[in-house]
Amino acid sequence: MSARSLWRGITAQFSTKSLVLIPIAVGINLIGGTLSSTLKLPLFLDMIGTTVIACLSGPWVAALCGLLTNVFLALVANPVYLPYALSSVLCGLVIGYMVKAGLFKRIWGVVLVWLACALVNTVTASLITVFVYGGATGVNGTSVLTAALVVAVKNIVISVLSSSMLENLIDKGITVLIAYVIVRRIPKRFLSQYALDGSEDQADLDDLDDLDEDEDEDEREATGASSRESSARPGKIDGAMESERDPSTGDPADLACERTQRSER
Amino acid sequence: MTEVIRVDDFSFRYRDADRTTLKRVSFSVEQGSFFCIVGANGSGKSTLCNALVGLIPHYFVGKSRGSVRIEDRDVAASTIADLSRQVGLVFQNPFNQLSYTAGTVAEELAFGLGNHGVSRETMHAKVARVAALMHIEDLLDKNPLELSGGQVQRVALGSTLIMEPDILVLDECTAQLDPLGSEEIFDIVKRLNQEGITVVMVDHDMERVARCADQVMVLGAGRVRALGTPEEVFTDPDAEKWGIDIPDYVKLGRGLEDAGFGLSDLPVREDQAVGMIREALR
Amino acid sequence: MPGPASNRIPDSPLARMHPMAKIAGVCSLGLATLVWPDFTLGLGIIVALFIAAALARVLRPFSGVMLGFGIPVTLMLLFIQGCYSPRNTRVILDLGFAQLGLEGSLYAAKIVVTLLVFLGSFYLTNKTTYMGRLVAALTQIGVPSKVGYLILASLNVVPQMQRRIAVIEQSQHARGLETGGSLISRVRAFLPLLGPVVLSSLTDSQERGMTLETRGFGIRGVRQTSYLEVVWRRSDTVVTILFTVFLVLALVLSCLSRAGLITFAIQWGGRA
């Protein structure tokens, strides 16, 4: 069973629907990077897209997205980023499998995702910095911090690790937080087209019959369409974080509306 | 006349959706005809278009029942790629209809052919032919991402036509364009229809629908509310209850009737309205 | 079809070269530098790359990238490795606060030249290759179209998203939202403009997927073809053979050297 069904599970994740998300997730990753440099933050923020796509299309698509992000950075910005593809890939896998386990639905789960991602990235990125680049890549604040630590503790590996850990905890914290907010704001009709566990398709076939059942209901809905909007306010509370942000899109309210409707049923 | 599209008792609900988007829709379209679908926003027009080209059930996940047949081929049993040779789809947002793999318009047009493994010589010939048809010969070497919306929409229509489909499904394909760009696209579509391509068009411009449609279907909340010739549909007393706009000419005719002019038929098209006014003035 | 006609890449022998031959070049030169026992071979290749860049008429941006990356990383590594490497035995320079060791410095130099050879050859390949041709070449040898899609779509979608961000950024400026000020206020100004772009890009992907599907993307059982023709010419064969011979030679020589069978003219301190 194992190897073959695992492989089939992995290839099933690469549907056209997921494939078209990858360039966009790579774009989000790079926008995060641009953002942090525009804001003059000493961070990368280059895994927001990877985290989002992990929630939509699963671990292996996220891994590929991480790989492509680094390849893209290598192509257009600086080839130094290429070896770090390894840590992006591993982070994508770790986030993906943790999301698949349902951790992104709970706050403590999100915290776990943050810590795991920071840890994985710290270890792999540090190993790459030490073994590929001998300790510094000369392109960021971390290298300077590392150099300062080398002077202080006189050990290259420890210096790289500790400067990287500090940076990663902050960086991945912000990354996971932003990704969480984005995923919460994605319209449900879009989100529902992506299945994290492939079993849902099967379940769908069984209850074809209820297509009829709601026909009368739809008649009511069609006539009472206007009353539907006004009843949608209560959901606002759990959208506290979103409501601070741009109100013009109106998505959070819609989502909340749909959520309450579902729970009524 | 032969039927090229046959939809039978078709229902569809997107996964996790609260309501069924299409409910027991049945209709058929004859070869070479101009078939228009109208209805309010959210009435299921786009979903129906997606079902005609096989995106439902092969791309969108959900529950469906009933059947859609394109030229005697069951859509559910076919693949989108196979269907793309028979039926092509053009929708609203031009920039979402680019493959994003092409550096030039010529490559963009050839994208579909490349996927079907067409030889390079054939590709070059077809690209030249479609470019002439769409009036985009001068754009062939340009980057599609640097074109205007109207130009991109012509490229999108061209990339669909290059597959030489017998049926063209247009889902509000001029909604995001300025009036001029919109007319350019529309003129091409009309010419294609005259050359024998079956057109299924979703549009909000009722004067335009009345002008060209052979058949009009009104969708409301996922159901077929009315189906018939533009005259039958737009002069129906219930037409405004279906959530559609009716052509101004019909309103004009009703106004004249209310003012005491006895009319033989309510006009739905410009030429009919002109005739009616002439008659009333006499 | 000689040269990448359609995308503003200056015509040159390097631009006309088959993309796969160039990739063979990147691998050959990079690996040769990596296996070579010291930094001398890499230094020679770097000089050759500068000449190639001049021939391909991209010398100015090429130098910018090489120096912009090379100088800081050299200084950084000389400091970290040169002064603090555990393998340092001989001191070549006393800086007062630290001592520059020979072994660490040589190690730093080796890393720097290897990086620069990879960087430079990669950059040259990138700058002289129209990506459409590269993907067409990959398609010809049977690489799945999904791979080609990912390469090209990333290269097209990402700049488009960046342009959208830039447009919104400008409009935020016009509305008086400053990007200066304290960190908190800068973050406040930026986050709301990021959200809509990200969300609309994500939802746009659904229609883009529809487009691909209706154009027969990912069709099975058909060998894909491409509009662009990429011809493998005799010169490409010659160049690829040269690259291969060069790599094999470098491998053999460095093996011999490491085994102590031959010695190079230049002896570096305590290495042998």
Side-chain angles (χ1 to χ4, degrees):
Chain A
M1 170 221 153
S2 56
R4 198 161 179 195
S5 71
L6 179 74
W7 176 247
R8 209 177 303 140
I10 291 170
T11 49
Q13 287 174 16
F14 291 93
S15 61
T16 304
K17 236 180 277 177
S18 298
L19 217 59
V20 289
L21 275 182
I22 294 177
I24 287 164
V26 171
I28 297 174
N29 282 345
L30 298 185
I31 285 173
T34 320
L35 190 75
S36 70
S37 67
T38 319
L39 295 177
K40 301 172 195 81
L41 303 173
L43 303 170
F44 298 113
L45 300 182
D46 60 353
M47 275 192 199
I48 300 175
T50 308
T51 315
V52 171
I53 206 172
C55 296
L56 289 168
S57 298
W60 292 94
V61 179
L64 183 62
C65 167
L67 174 73
L68 269 173
T69 304
N70 284 66
V71 170
F72 191 90
L73 277 171
L75 275 173
V76 300
N78 194 331
V80 175
Y81 293 107
L82 198 55
Y84 292 101
L86 180 68
S87 51
S88 297
V89 167
L90 284 176
C91 272
L93 285 177
V94 166
I95 300 171
Y97 276 109
M98 290 181 89
V99 170
K100 218 173 169 180
L103 287 175
F104 226 60
K105 291 181 188 131
R106 314 244 174 285
I107 290 295
W108 59 266
V110 175
V111 171
L112 273 184
V113 171
W114 162 41
L115 294 176
C117 182
L119 186 72
V120 169
N121 206 38
T122 303
V123 174
T124 52
S126 303
L127 291 178
I128 292 165
T129 307
V130 172
F131 289 108
V132 179
Y133 297 108
T137 51
V139 287
N140 51 32
T142 323
S143 296
V144 180
L145 183 58
T146 307
L149 283 170
V150 168
V151 176
V153 300
K154 310 238 182 298
N155 183 315
I156 295 173
V157 178
I158 288 176
S159 307
V160 171
L161 259 175
S162 39
S163 61
S164 176
M165 190 70 209
L166 184 69
E167 190 187 34
N168 265 300
L169 274 176
I170 304 169
D171 185 60
K172 297 301 172 282
I174 300 174
T175 301
V176 170
L177 180 70
I178 295 179
Y180 179 74
V181 172
I182 290 175
V183 171
R184 291 288 299 268
R185 293 188 62 181
I186 295 175
K188 198 192 74 174
R189 68 188 130 70
F190 177 78
L191 210 54
S192 67
Q193 289 292 317
Y194 292 87
L196 268 186
D197 47 323
S199 59
E200 274 181 61
D201 291 340
Q202 290 302 317
D204 265 343
L205 291 172
D206 300 333
D207 51 349
L208 266 173
D209 294 332
D210 73 345
L211 275 174
D212 276 332
E213 285 170 30
D214 64 3
E215 298 227 332
D216 318 312
E217 208 176 303
D218 288 321
E219 293 296 319
R220 264 187 285 124
E221 236 175 73
T223 51
S226 55
S227 67
R228 188 166 160 246
E229 274 167 10
S230 55
S231 68
R233 290 298 114 186
K236 266 252 149 142
I237 306 140
D238 71 348
M241 212 184 298
E242 294 113 314
S243 60
E244 260 188 46
R245 310 168 104 243
D246 190 6
S248 63
T249 55
D251 275 332
D254 285 356
L255 249 175
C257 150
E258 281 167 11
R259 230 178 278 137
T260 42
Q261 282 215 332
R262 267 169 72 76
S263 56
E264 276 162 22
R265 218 155 261 179
Chain B
M1 282 295 214
T2 46
E3 282 175 7
V4 284
I5 300 176
R6 163 115 232 138
V7 178
D8 260 322
D9 205 23
F10 188 76
S11 304
F12 184 77
R13 181 200 283 200
Y14 290 99
R15 176 161 65 199
D16 289 348
D18 297 320
R19 55 194 200 92
T20 310
T21 313
L22 289 177
K23 290 164 217 148
R24 298 181 162 268
V25 172
S26 298
F27 66 96
S28 62
V29 178
E30 281 180 349
Q31 187 169 26
S33 67
F34 202 114
F35 189 92
C36 284
I37 302 171
V38 298
N41 285 330
S43 59
K45 302 183 302 277
S46 296
T47 307
L48 184 56
C49 289
N50 293 340
L52 292 179
V53 298
L55 287 166
I56 292 171
H58 300 296
Y59 181 74
F60 287 100
V61 190
K63 291 174 272 184
S64 65
R65 200 175 48 190
S67 74
V68 177
R69 300 184 75 82
I70 301 289
E71 294 180 338
D72 283 329
R73 188 199 279 259
D74 185 9
V75 166
S78 194
T79 66
I80 303 175
D82 286 342
L83 285 165
S84 67
R85 301 228 152 192
Q86 292 170 309
V87 53
L89 172 71
V90 183
F91 48 86
Q92 199 171 346
N93 186 337
F95 288 95
N96 283 347
Q97 295 176 77
L98 292 173
S99 66
Y100 286 86
T101 61
T104 64
V105 168
E107 289 165 62
E108 178 68 41
L109 289 172
F111 176 73
L113 297 177
N115 286 330
H116 280 95
V118 171
S119 76
R120 189 171 295 113
E121 296 72 46
T122 322
M123 251 186 215
H124 281 264
K126 287 190 177 181
V127 164
R129 196 159 71 224
V130 164
L133 183 70
M134 304 304 299
H135 310 300
I136 46 176
E137 297 102 321
D138 50 331
L139 304 178
L140 281 180
D141 285 333
K142 297 246 166 67
N143 183 342
L145 291 171
E146 289 164 7
L147 303 179
S148 74
Q151 290 170 324
V152 174
Q153 194 66 317
R154 273 187 283 163
V155 173
L157 183 52
S159 332
T160 305
L161 287 175
I162 208 162
M163 305 307 296
E164 295 168 353
D166 307 319
I167 306 164
L168 201 54
V169 179
L170 307 168
D171 184 5
E172 297 189 38
C173 68
T174 58
Q176 287 191 0
L177 309 182
D178 56 65
L180 196 72
S182 164
E183 274 314 306
E184 278 176 345
I185 297 271
F186 200 70
D187 287 340
I188 296 169
V189 170
K190 254 190 324 203
R191 208 172 62 236
L192 289 167
N193 181 242
Q194 278 154 14
E195 286 165 11
I197 292 186
T198 312
V199 176
V200 175
M201 184 172 85
V202 172
D203 208 284
H204 277 301
D205 184 339
M206 295 301 155
E207 279 79 26
R208 189 149 78 193
V209 169
R211 198 165 66 231
C212 348
D214 297 319
Q215 293 267 294
V216 178
M217 182 168 81
V218 183
L219 279 184
R223 288 179 192 283
V224 179
R225 299 287 181 204
L227 175 62
T229 62
E231 286 79 4
E232 289 164 0
V233 169
F234 290 127
T235 59
D236 192 300
D238 288 336
E240 303 210 46
K241 285 188 203 147
W242 302 327
I244 58 163
D245 211 16
I246 56 170
D248 287 338
Y249 307 120
V250 179
K251 295 179 190 162
L252 189 67
R254 292 230 166 93
L256 283 171
E257 265 183 342
D258 291 346
F261 292 94
L263 297 175
S264 46
D265 283 310
L266 282 171
V268 296
R269 294 197 311 265
E270 190 183 346
D271 55 322
Q272 293 169 335
V274 170
M276 168 193 77
I277 291 169
R278 251 198 213 124
E279 200 183 313
L281 286 176
R282 223 181 295 132
Chain C
M1 197 184 285
S6 49
N7 59 322
R8 301 163 208 125
I9 286 175
D11 191 37
S12 66
L14 212 53
R16 282 192 295 268
M17 205 162 145
H18 196 280
M20 295 320 242
K22 279 186 259 193
I23 288 179
V26 173
C27 297
S28 155
L29 296 179
L31 287 178
T33 317
L34 195 64
V35 296
W36 200 253
D38 64 21
F39 67 85
T40 48
L41 180 70
L43 210 57
I45 294 176
I46 289 170
V47 172
L49 285 176
F50 268 97
I51 296 168
L55 288 176
R57 286 185 267 171
V58 288
L59 185 59
R60 190 184 286 256
F62 180 79
S63 319
V65 167
M66 294 292 270
L67 297 178
F69 171 71
I71 291 172
V73 85
T74 309
L75 292 177
M76 213 66 180
L77 283 180
L78 269 183
F79 179 70
I80 294 179
Q81 292 289 348
C83 300
Y84 295 97
S85 174
R87 58 185 119 186
N88 279 340
T89 48
R90 288 204 214 168
V91 176
I92 50 171
L93 188 65
D94 198 331
L95 297 170
F97 63 95
Q99 290 169 328
L100 192 64
L102 177 68
E103 288 77 11
S105 304
L106 284 176
Y107 181 64
K110 171 76 192 302
I111 293 179
V112 171
V113 293
T114 313
L115 289 176
L116 282 177
V117 166
F118 271 114
L119 173 85
S121 53
F122 193 70
Y123 183 85
L124 271 185
T125 303
N126 188 22
K127 280 291 151 185
T128 59
T129 309
Y130 173 40
M131 279 298 148
R133 282 186 92 223
L134 171 63
V135 171
L138 290 173
T139 310
Q140 273 170 17
I141 58 169
V143 172
S145 55
K146 289 188 173 182
V147 176
Y149 171 79
L150 286 179
I151 298 174
L152 291 175
S154 300
L155 287 170
N156 282 321
V157 169
V158 174
Q160 196 205 23
M161 284 177 75
Q162 282 166 338
R163 277 198 296 274
R164 275 168 81 176
I165 289 280
V167 168
I168 298 175
E169 210 176 311
Q170 279 167 4
S171 67
Q172 295 287 84
H173 272 294
R175 275 157 52 187
L177 284 168
E178 265 317 306
T179 46
S182 75
L183 188 66
I184 302 293
S185 69
R186 276 183 279 150
V187 172
R188 277 255 172 92
F190 261 96
L191 282 188
L193 70 88
L194 192 67
V197 173
V198 166
L199 283 174
S200 66
S201 301
L202 283 171
T203 43
D204 274 353
S205 76
Q206 194 161 58
E207 291 195 339
R208 293 184 186 171
M210 286 163 61
T211 302
L212 292 184
E213 290 274 340
T214 53
R215 306 254 193 287
F217 179 71
I219 193 171
R220 293 205 188 129
V222 175
R223 195 182 169 115
Q224 269 78 46
T225 50
S226 36
Y227 184 78
L228 296 172
E229 187 175 16
V230 193
V231 187
W232 182 272
R233 294 169 307 165
R234 191 175 299 147
S235 58
D236 292 315
T237 315
V238 173
V239 169
T240 311
I241 291 173
L242 283 179
F243 278 138
T244 316
V245 169
F246 180 75
L247 178 60
V248 170
L249 222 69
L251 274 172
V252 171
L253 283 178
S254 26
C255 282
L256 290 177
S257 153
R258 270 163 214 255
L261 292 175
I262 57 163
T263 46
F264 291 111
I266 315 164
Q267 274 292 331
W268 302 103
R271 180 151 277 238

